[in-house]
Amino acid sequence: MDLMSRALVASLTALTLLSPAAIAGPKGEVRLLAYEGYADPSWVEEFEKQTGITVKVTYVGGVDEQIAKMKASNGKDYDVVTIDTASLKAYADQKLIAPIDTAKLTSAGNLLPEFKDMSNATLDGAIYGVPWAWGSLGMVYDKKTFPTTPESWEVLWDPTYKGKVISLDDANNAINFGAIVLGIKDPFHLTDAQFAQVKDKLIALKRNLLTYFAGFDEGTTIWSENDVVLMFSMGELAAVNLQKKGFDVGYTIPKEGAVGWLDNLSVSAGTPNPDAAYAWMNFVLQKKIGADMAKKFGYGSTTDVAQGMDYAGRLIWAQNPEDYTRRQAIWNEVKAAE
Amino acid sequence: METATARPWPDLLRAGLVHALNLGLPLLFVVVPILSFVAVSFWTLEEGQILLIPTLANYRAFFTEGSYLAVYLQTIALSLQVTAVNLALATAIALFIFRRTPRVRFLILMSFMLPLFMSYIIKIYSIRSILGQRGLLNEAMMALGLIDQPIEALLFSRTAIFIALAVLYLPYAILPIYLALDRIPANYLAAAADLGATPGQMLRDVVLPLGRPGMAAGAVFTFILTFGDFVTPQMVGGIQGFTFGRIVFSQFGLALNWPLGSALAVILLATTLLAVALAGLLLRREHVR
């Protein structure tokens, strides 16, 4: 039931109002807008006990859904929101998030050296987010079908596996992915000709797909209920979840590379209780929480060196793309194609 | 003579308040939101920013750019098909219920309405786990030896969208049709029988014509709900699950193209209003004749 309700919340919060009305604790409440794995019940429990602040979590399944939720209330419905580096600018431009008050960020010292300067989250001199978790959009493959790890993304286009491939439904990342497979150097700033190439490549992929999916749980559910052997995934968690369910799957970053993402903790511009927001951020930026997150969900942590995640060097860190509106229009074209 | 003017103030105040609420609440919660997105649909999007410069570009985009128009037409076709099938199914079910004794009627009707008490999402997930390649239906048929290999096309296909939409929205068609039949006075049927009408004639000449307003309402409900559904097709339709509602939805994410999204939503709204008007027109002509 827990898995079910989480899947529902994650993929379709737009339609449901499942989140229970939380009762605020003596020190108020902190409302998180987060991806799965960013507010483990054990951390929430410890945090609530330690601070007296109640935690209310709303899970989202994707970037699009998250910004729509923030925009709907100009951030007033949430206190802390996790935003990937590539989208930070959009949030900052829309004034949905406030600059980080480094004086209140007492646990900044816990950050690993490569994340300490927060350069990924700095816009016009102001820091808009604190690096929190990273990962990649890699390939999940069925180990029985592939005794040796597939080397190239091209296997997803292989007609042998027609109808056994699933792919992430996310306009921006799908286009990044297409560009990376085509070997385009800068997948975040495409020319007209490159856009046309990527569109054709993604339409070709579509013909090999069983379906698109949105959110980790949807990907896992579809994998477990159907005969799927390959997935352009939303991240390491997809493989972790499937392994937990007993599926023999592997996770790999093929030779073309993959998009890497870095999620930052940001403070909503509409928060009435910034102290509670910083209290949560300081709490989760502890080394032990980072290690626990890496262990439980397979995300890379910014406070603890992730084990087994040796491929960071081959990732292409996500940047703000040239034009979201255009990417969405092209993605709609791909999805409407016969 | 002076009753109107001599009414004490508190009474007038109360009457005024009631009227204000009666008009004000729908105005505030229905008309204002609709007007606001109609207004946004005429705004301009430039470099990711919404500017208050009036334009028709968003509507032009619907007709000329990309596949908006094609997807719109495909979605209408899909909705019409679901509507036709559900109208036939719901009419048959409503007639079936109508023919039972009053006590049984309520029970059967409630059992058909039961799905309405369940979350929409739970229903889609259930449909998915029934139709999946390792789903209930395939496993059952394999266990019974009816098939050797799971049927792959059950889920993630146009068929799946069709089945899911039909199942989800059937109760919305049954209810109005049944209510229309329920209002047919018993003595009409008795009179028809007395005059020697066969059951078939009675159905054709008395029951169905009198049930037509309900059928129109059921059809309109089904069409509107199906046409606007942006979740079901996506979740069960696989690579064919892209519908007009989905395009509207996609404009409100990172694309942040609210003007285009609003224009498409206005077109969606206009289409549903047209469906309502069409149903009303058909019924009125029926009356005149």
Side-chain angles (χ1 to χ4, degrees), chain A residues 262-280:
Chain A
L262 177 59
D263 273 357
N264 303 272
L265 296 165
S266 295
V267 178
S268 162
T271 177
N273 194 355
D275 286 341
Y278 283 99
W280 172 259

Side-chain angles (χ1 to χ4, degrees), chain A residues 15-331:
Chain A
L15 274 183
T16 48
L17 291 164
L18 293 176
S19 50
I23 302 148
K27 295 279 176 58
E29 121 183 296
V30 58
R31 298 158 307 165
L32 315 176
L33 189 60
Y35 297 108
E36 283 174 67
Y38 285 3
D40 190 67
S42 68
W43 315 339
V44 168
E45 195 184 323
E46 193 186 332
F47 174 78
E48 288 183 340
K49 218 178 277 170
Q50 235 176 56
T51 60
I53 299 169
T54 314
V55 179
K56 188 180 155 192
V57 196
T58 306
Y59 287 108
V60 285
V63 176
D64 290 356
E65 188 188 336
Q66 176 161 296
I67 201 162
K69 276 185 134 46
M70 283 293 282
K71 185 101 172 119
S73 65
N74 276 321
K76 286 193 185 64
D77 286 346
Y78 307 99
D79 304 307
V80 178
V81 48
T82 21
I83 304 170
D84 65 294
T85 310
S87 329
L88 267 177
K89 192 178 180 304
Y91 283 83
D93 285 350
Q94 304 276 329
K95 302 215 171 3
L96 297 174
I97 49 173
I100 298 292
D101 182 350
T102 42
K104 286 185 176 166
L105 194 71
T106 49
S107 58
N110 297 342
L111 291 171
L112 294 170
E114 56 264 52
F115 298 110
K116 209 156 229 167
D117 62 355
M118 305 185 213
S119 57
N120 274 316
T122 307
L123 301 163
D124 299 329
I127 296 168
Y128 278 94
V130 188
W132 149 247
W134 65 272
S136 58
L137 274 66
M139 178 201 291
V140 175
Y141 61 95
D142 177 45
K143 281 189 174 169
K144 244 178 268 145
T145 316
F146 301 96
T148 51
T149 309
E151 274 180 20
S152 163
W153 280 113
E154 289 293 341
V155 67
L156 269 68
W157 276 260
D158 185 340
T160 318
Y161 308 109
K162 188 175 162 66
K164 296 183 175 189
V165 184
I166 57 176
S167 183
L168 180 62
D169 183 3
D170 173 329
N172 183 35
N173 280 316
I175 288 174
N176 288 338
F177 167 61
I180 288 173
V181 177
L182 286 169
I184 294 170
K185 279 245 163 57
D186 181 357
F188 311 109
H189 300 91
L190 301 178
T191 63
D192 290 353
Q194 287 171 334
F195 265 126
Q197 267 179 291
V198 169
K199 182 179 154 187
D200 289 345
K201 188 76 181 164
L202 291 174
I203 290 175
L205 174 65
K206 179 183 170 172
R207 302 203 173 105
N208 223 29
L209 293 181
L210 175 67
T211 183
Y212 295 109
F213 68 92
F216 283 114
D217 268 351
E218 225 213 342
T220 343
T221 311
I222 292 172
W223 187 293
S224 50
E225 286 172 358
N226 300 278
D227 185 16
V228 181
V229 298
L230 286 165
M231 155 158 55
F232 163 49
S233 79
M234 216 174 147
E236 288 81 355
L237 181 61
V240 173
N241 281 350
L242 281 169
Q243 283 156 1
K244 268 189 211 156
K245 280 189 165 188
F247 289 92
D248 191 14
V249 298
Y251 186 86
T252 184
I253 305 298
K255 64 177 183 200
E256 295 92 344
V259 177
W261 52 265
L262 177 59
D263 273 357
N264 303 272
L265 296 165
S266 295
V267 178
S268 162
T271 177
N273 194 355
D275 286 341
Y278 283 99
W280 172 259
M281 285 160 62
N282 286 325
F283 178 81
V284 293
L285 287 169
Q286 299 176 79
K287 199 174 154 71
K288 63 165 188 182
I289 300 282
D292 194 41
M293 172 178 69
K295 199 178 80 198
K296 280 186 178 144
F297 304 101
Y299 297 139
S301 157
T302 54
T303 51
D304 185 69
V305 182
Q307 285 183 350
M309 292 178 74
D310 54 355
Y311 43 74
R314 287 191 290 133
L315 297 178
I316 303 159
W317 295 108
Q319 286 173 32
N320 204 29
E322 70 297 280
D323 187 348
Y324 279 120
T325 312
R326 179 161 187 199
R327 287 187 168 220
Q328 184 66 60
I330 287 175
W331 184 234

